[in-house]
Amino acid sequence: MILLGACAGWSLITAAAHDGRPEGMLLAVLAVAAGYAAGRVSGALLPVAAPCAGAVAGLALAVTLPEFSPAPWYAAPLGHAGATAALLALATGAACCAAWATAVPALRLALRALACAVVAAGAVLGSTAGCVASAAVLLCSLAAGSARSRGAWLVGTAMAAGLVAAAIWAVAGDALPGGLDGALESRFSAHRIGLWRDALWLADRNSGLGIGPGRFGDLTPGAPRTLLSDGKPHSAPLQQAAEQGLVGVFLLLAVFCWVLHALWRAPRPTPVALTAGAALTALAVLATVSNALSFTTVTSGAALLAGWATARPWAGETATPSP
């Protein structure tokens, strides 16, 4: 709660300094707080049914909501493919958490079949990123069954997310060697990379308080105006750096690290905690290269999953966290 309060307070400070619009950040903080509280309560009462229902709801939202229908992942104009992929990854994580939480073999098999259905849905929807992210979460969940220590696993997921963020930051700053830089740039549209470079340009010149939340679209200096733009750089760390300065980036990183620490200390079985960690890491990677965190459905879904994975069931399941 201290971290979420700091996120809300810093957005108000930077908004006051530059006449920004903090409503988006405040809504995200509210969604995370409400989702986490609901996840802790429902996870304590219904450790299997709650994440199972969440997986079905996430899949249904990804399939039925027209604003989440996948646009071409690397094409312009930039669409909502990041939100679709994030919902699919979270739905897979919820289904796998429910599978590990039950002791009934038939139900566990059915829940893993649901996770496989989410992966297939990503392919049917044309969401390549969603299919890949969901498959990665499913494979990590299966591997988590043989994990002995959750600490090393969670450190590895944090390092993976950090490497992706560092690579995108390096692409924006033209800091990679020629061959590697060209390989990464070939995977994204020129428009998206241009937005990343604009965000880094603004961050370099406003590293203290940023330019104010919600103002990136007003001040972007170099994005092609012939392409549609939603006023976001499609990278959560770069958006925080541009709009709220280095403190904003630190707060975003601190929230992610706190979630991983909570999973490390969670009383749930180790496979449940590690599966949730894999799904939230997949979300972090997607948020680094898209606008996934701009959707309240995604932020509240991530908080729900974290709540389910860290809840202390009132009956029927006990576990001692692994060191």
Side-chain angles (χ1 to χ4, degrees):
M1 295 308 297
I2 292 174
L3 280 175
L4 291 180
C7 291
W10 185 249
S11 69
L12 291 173
I13 291 172
T14 55
H18 296 291
D19 194 26
R21 298 181 291 275
E23 294 81 8
M25 175 59 72
L26 296 178
L27 180 60
V29 169
L30 180 61
V32 169
Y36 186 69
R40 288 295 297 261
V41 173
S42 59
L45 296 173
L46 303 167
V48 178
C52 176
V56 173
L59 176 60
L61 287 172
V63 171
T64 60
L65 284 184
E67 60 268 30
F68 282 161
S69 57
W73 178 253
Y74 301 120
L78 303 181
H80 305 304
T84 302
L87 284 176
L88 293 174
L90 292 174
T92 305
C96 291
C97 283
W100 281 117
T102 183
V104 181
L107 181 55
R108 177 170 293 180
L109 181 62
L111 289 167
R112 285 179 176 161
L114 174 60
C116 293
V118 176
V119 176
V124 172
L125 290 172
S127 175
T128 303
C131 184
V132 171
S134 299
V137 172
L138 177 58
L139 293 175
C140 288
S141 178
L142 295 175
S146 60
R148 293 293 178 264
S149 172
R150 65 177 71 177
W153 182 292
L154 293 172
V155 168
T157 61
M159 291 178 63
L163 285 174
V164 173
I168 297 307
W169 203 289
V171 169
D174 284 325
L176 290 176
L180 184 57
D181 186 65
L184 287 176
E185 289 190 11
S186 67
R187 302 297 298 167
F188 301 98
S189 68
H191 187 200
R192 188 184 299 266
I193 294 174
L195 291 174
W196 293 346
R197 287 174 176 164
D198 289 344
L200 187 59
W201 184 87
L202 292 171
D204 287 340
R205 287 154 180 78
N206 303 273
S207 59
L209 295 174
I211 61 175
R215 299 194 66 210
F216 175 80
D218 301 337
L219 299 176
T220 298
R225 297 302 179 182
T226 57
L227 298 176
L228 295 179
S229 173
D230 55 5
K232 300 181 184 298
H234 287 254
S235 175
L238 287 172
Q239 181 172 353
Q240 285 291 96
E243 295 185 347
Q244 298 187 43
L246 295 179
V247 174
V249 177
F250 171 79
L251 289 173
L252 183 65
L253 175 63
V255 170
F256 179 64
C257 290
W258 180 88
V259 170
L260 295 182
H261 179 268
L263 292 173
W264 177 54
R265 299 301 304 165
R268 302 297 300 276
T270 292
V272 173
L274 297 186
T275 296
L280 294 173
T281 300
L283 171 61
V285 171
L286 291 169
T288 301
V289 297
S290 74
N291 63 341
L293 293 186
S294 298
F295 295 85
T296 304
T297 309
V298 174
T299 53
S300 58
L304 274 169
L305 180 60
W308 291 327
T310 56
R312 184 181 298 275
W314 287 0
E317 181 185 9
T318 58
T320 302
S322 300

